[in-house]
Amino acid sequence: MIDLFPLATVPTLRLHGVDYLLLVLYFVFVIAIGAFLKRSMKSSEDFFLSGRSIPAWIAGLAFLSANLGAQEVIGMAASGAKYGISTAHFYWIGAVPAMVFVGVFMMPFYYGSKARSVPEYLKLRYDEKTRAFNAFSFAAMTIFSSGISMYAMAKLLNLLLGWNFDMALWISALIVLAYIFLGGLTSAIYNEVMQFFLIIFGFAPLVFLGLKNVGGWPGLKEKLAIVATSPIYGSENYSSDAWTSAWGSLGSSSGNPMGVEWFGMAMGLGFVLSFGYWCTDFLVVQRAMVAKDENSARLVPLIASVPKMLFPILVIVPGMIAIALTATNGGFSIPEKIVDGATMLDYDMVIPGMLAHYFPTGLLGLGLTALMASFMSGMAGNVTAFNTVWTYDIYQSYIAKGKSDQHYLWMGRVATVVGTLVSLAAAYMANSFNNIMDMLQLVFAFVNAPLFATFLLGMFWRRTTGNGAFFGLVSGTLAAAIHHGLTLPYGASAGIKGGWLVSEVLHRYPSEMAQNFWTAIWSWSSCFVVTILVSLLTKRLKTDDELRGLVFSLTERRTDRYLVWYKRPAVLGAIILAFAVALNIIFA
């Protein structure tokens, strides 16, 4: 897509008094929550784990909202425009099954072990070096992810409101820093619950107005058929339903805009990236670990999975409407950007552009506030995960052992400041991508994909050794780096998007997302195989008694038959999976 269309930009918005009032009230409210909760932050467990006292429904909404940051709202809308309804796979096969799995099978190990973090669980199951490797890699991942949220928010304020990009970046960082520094994880959780409702009320009108404009779902399908067969946006290889059929165009990688065949989708996203994120990423697992008891912790991801199934309506459909209007001259055009001298659609600006196009005064303020909430939630979620892992798994374990609890509480606040500052640097890297979801899935392929193999073997095969886990993680990360360094997406230059190992790449993928899926597959497979081989060649140092509560076959299963059906994780999980299957069939 080079020089095929005139450069379109998002008009600078003129907010009115009521719009500014909504924004200011939101900023004041989130900081006030932190200030109010500061008095209850008496110990490190209060600051990092909310004293393990949060009700299941609140933790469930926070579990969902921790993932509902800028990456979700901006990135999924961008992917909806770029890839169509196939993006819904990030929910129906790329989230819901894994959320059910972590609730039914994995939370008893996390919660029952009383581990304060995912790296600490790895120490209990394996050894210190495995914990260290994961702690440092996870800390780096949270910095990148937080930086993506900061970048998205600053870009929004820059293009929509005319604010200086750097100034907007620093202001957003300082607001998040303030309420996390004061109220810790509890402050983040209650702000995430508020943000959940803001997203619904802020974006439901956008979907309604957009669908009304294009003639409802039938009108949208008709316009997207033009997109699919357009030489600019689609391809002559695509069928007319490439943007509206979730499975029908996945027969080959050349038949759909995501450039992924069914195996790459099912294995790369549905298994490796999905389970790798929802089952091992401490950012979301932390929200379940704060629940008041084990059964509540198991219900947390199941509660979150219900609205998760429906969120494609709010975040993907606006992107599909945007590309349909752009291709058919419907009065709205997706903005563009110039990267390396090439003009390309700036998919990350779909949601801001649609807000500017459809929302009047007052409603615009609500929509912008919902966006601000999503950005801050994403930033805060990563910062709270970073300060916990840094303090417990790095600082307390290797730098300052045996200090007082108040000392670690102080270090948690210091880590909050440092993590926020380092995230600012990562924010500038995100500008190289025209879809932040592409960048985020690349980071997950390096960190979460191999980690899931380590957890899968550790929880269900008692013979897995600490040496096997450590060398498996290292080999998985190296495999991701080698694959990324040898391949490139079409139209990309060697560098941050790959191809940095050789002068002539070995393979070019149809899209960044296709490259990410296969990077994850290589990473998980390498870790899985190496972990098994090394475990068979090394001695198991942990006894069965030491592994009780950490390995499935050695852990006593507690009965929940005395509970009503909607409080029994296995029953509730089966119902949720049935609904997810139904959605895949309806949009097949």
Side-chain angles (χ1 to χ4, degrees):
M1 297 184 187
I2 299 175
D3 300 328
L4 293 176
F5 27 70
L7 194 64
T9 59
V10 176
T12 301
L13 299 182
R14 293 183 178 179
L15 299 185
H16 293 78
V18 65
D19 300 313
Y20 279 115
L21 178 62
L22 287 171
L23 287 170
V24 171
L25 285 176
Y26 171 72
F27 292 145
V28 171
F29 190 75
V30 296
I31 295 176
I33 288 177
F36 176 78
L37 292 171
K38 186 178 185 297
R39 70 187 71 177
S40 62
M41 297 297 108
K42 298 177 180 179
S43 69
S44 62
E45 186 173 75
D46 293 332
F47 188 80
F48 296 119
L49 290 172
S50 301
R52 293 186 187 267
S53 60
I54 304 296
W57 74 271
I58 292 178
L61 293 182
F63 187 95
L64 173 64
S65 295
N67 175 253
L68 195 59
Q71 299 96 322
E72 182 96 355
V73 176
I74 295 293
M76 287 302 180
S79 294
K82 189 175 182 179
Y83 304 126
I85 196 65
S86 295
T87 308
H89 287 312
F90 281 94
Y91 296 82
W92 299 334
I93 69 167
V96 173
M99 295 167 81
V100 171
F101 184 82
V102 72
V104 174
F105 292 104
M106 296 186 72
M107 279 315 302
F109 301 113
Y110 281 134
Y111 199 92
S113 68
K114 297 300 179 185
R116 298 169 297 181
S117 66
V118 168
E120 187 166 81
Y121 173 85
L122 289 174
K123 174 193 174 183
L124 296 173
R125 172 59 184 89
Y126 292 118
D127 54 25
E128 194 66 58
K129 63 180 180 293
T130 307
R131 172 206 208 169
F133 185 88
N134 176 242
F136 282 101
S137 61
F138 177 78
M141 184 186 75
T142 57
I143 292 298
F144 276 106
S145 189
S146 179
I148 291 172
S149 294
M150 289 183 179
Y151 157 76
M153 183 173 183
K155 185 175 181 180
L156 170 82
L157 295 174
N158 170 247
L159 294 180
L160 287 187
L161 304 181
W163 290 17
N164 176 271
F165 178 84
D166 299 298
M167 180 186 74
L169 197 63
W170 283 86
I171 288 177
S172 63
L174 289 174
I175 292 173
V176 171
L177 173 61
Y179 76 77
I180 297 301
F181 186 88
L182 294 169
L185 178 62
T186 308
S187 178
I189 285 175
Y190 281 102
N191 274 302
E192 285 161 359
V193 173
M194 178 182 66
Q195 174 243 343
F196 170 82
F197 292 105
L198 274 174
I199 289 293
I200 292 176
F201 292 120
F203 287 94
L206 181 63
V207 177
F208 174 79
L209 293 172
L211 282 176
K212 183 179 179 182
N213 187 25
V214 297
W217 180 251
L220 179 59
K221 291 182 69 173
E222 182 181 332
K223 289 177 172 59
L224 288 174
I226 298 173
V227 173
T229 54
S230 164
I232 298 177
Y233 308 101
S235 167
E236 61 183 11
N237 294 325
Y238 298 165
S239 61
S240 61
D241 64 351
W243 255 260
T244 54
S245 173
W247 288 100
S249 60
L250 296 185
S252 67
S253 61
S254 62
N256 62 86
M258 196 173 284
V260 183
E261 77 296 335
W262 68 268
F263 178 81
M265 180 69 74
M267 181 68 178
L269 174 61
F271 182 65
V272 178
L273 284 172
S274 171
F275 282 75
Y277 176 76
W278 292 102
C279 298
T280 70
D281 194 311
F282 183 54
L283 168 64
V284 290
V285 171
Q286 186 181 31
R287 271 67 187 162
M289 292 172 72
V290 303
K292 60 182 181 180
D293 56 53
E294 182 177 310
N295 197 68
S296 295
R298 297 179 71 191
L299 291 174
V300 165
L302 299 177
I303 292 170
S305 68
V306 177
K308 185 72 175 178
M309 281 189 285
L310 304 177
F311 259 90
I313 299 172
L314 288 180
V315 295
I316 294 175
V317 170
M320 297 169 65
I321 294 171
I323 192 67
L325 294 175
T326 301
T328 58
N329 297 317
F332 170 81
S333 294
I334 297 175
E336 291 148 9
K337 66 190 292 187
I338 297 175
V339 177
D340 297 329
T343 302
M344 61 178 64
L345 290 176
D346 191 356
Y347 293 107
D348 288 338
M349 292 308 298
V350 163
I351 285 292
M354 294 281 280
L355 290 177
H357 181 68
Y358 283 111
F359 278 11
T361 299
L363 199 55
L364 178 60
L366 179 62
L368 287 175
T369 302
L371 269 182
M372 299 295 182
S374 73
F375 301 144
M376 290 189 175
S377 174
M379 294 158 61
N382 282 285
V383 170
T384 54
F386 171 82
N387 63 25
T388 304
V389 169
W390 166 264
T391 303
Y392 283 151
D393 296 294
I394 298 175
Y395 183 78
Q396 184 181 35
S397 299
Y398 308 114
I399 300 174
K401 297 181 179 179
K403 299 291 185 179
S404 68
D405 186 72
Q406 288 301 304
H407 178 83
Y408 295 124
L409 175 59
W410 168 82
M411 174 48 62
R413 289 197 164 103
V414 172
T416 301
V417 176
V418 174
T420 303
L421 293 175
V422 178
S423 297
L424 287 166
Y428 290 97
M429 293 179 60
N431 199 41
S432 298
F433 288 74
N434 72 337
N435 180 355
I436 58 176
M437 187 56 64
D438 290 336
M439 179 180 179
L440 191 67
Q441 295 304 319
L442 175 62
V443 175
F444 289 162
F446 272 76
V447 179
N448 293 90
L451 184 60
F452 176 55
T454 303
F455 267 87
L456 198 63
L457 289 169
M459 287 187 170
F460 296 100
W461 188 40
R462 72 175 80 177
R463 181 67 180 80
T464 315
T465 67
N467 286 325
F470 175 76
F471 288 106
L473 279 175
V474 173
S475 66
T477 304
L478 287 176
I482 292 171
H483 179 266
H484 187 254
L486 294 176
T487 63
L488 266 177
Y490 283 124
S493 302
I496 194 171
K497 292 188 178 183
W500 42 271
L501 274 179
V502 290
S503 57
E504 188 67 31
V505 296
L506 298 185
H507 182 71
R508 285 189 177 269
Y509 286 97
S511 70
E512 288 94 336
M513 199 64 76
Q515 182 192 35
N516 294 338
F517 289 173
W518 280 100
T519 299
I521 291 172
W522 280 101
S523 178
W524 182 88
S525 301
S526 298
C527 180
F528 191 79
V529 171
V530 170
T531 300
I532 291 175
L533 292 177
V534 175
S535 293
L536 292 173
L537 295 173
T538 55
K539 184 179 180 181
R540 195 186 86 175
L541 300 179
K542 299 266 186 179
T543 66
D544 283 357
D545 285 337
E546 291 176 301
L547 294 179
R548 290 192 199 286
L550 302 171
V551 176
F552 186 79
S553 62
L554 298 174
T555 301
E556 181 182 356
R557 258 76 75 194
R558 299 179 183 178
T559 181
D560 57 7
R561 294 185 180 278
Y562 63 93
L563 297 172
V564 294
W565 67 268
Y566 57 83
K567 289 187 177 181
R568 293 168 61 184
V571 174
L572 189 57
I575 295 172
I576 291 167
L577 287 177
F579 275 103
V581 170
L583 286 170
N584 275 283
I585 294 173
I586 292 170
F587 291 93

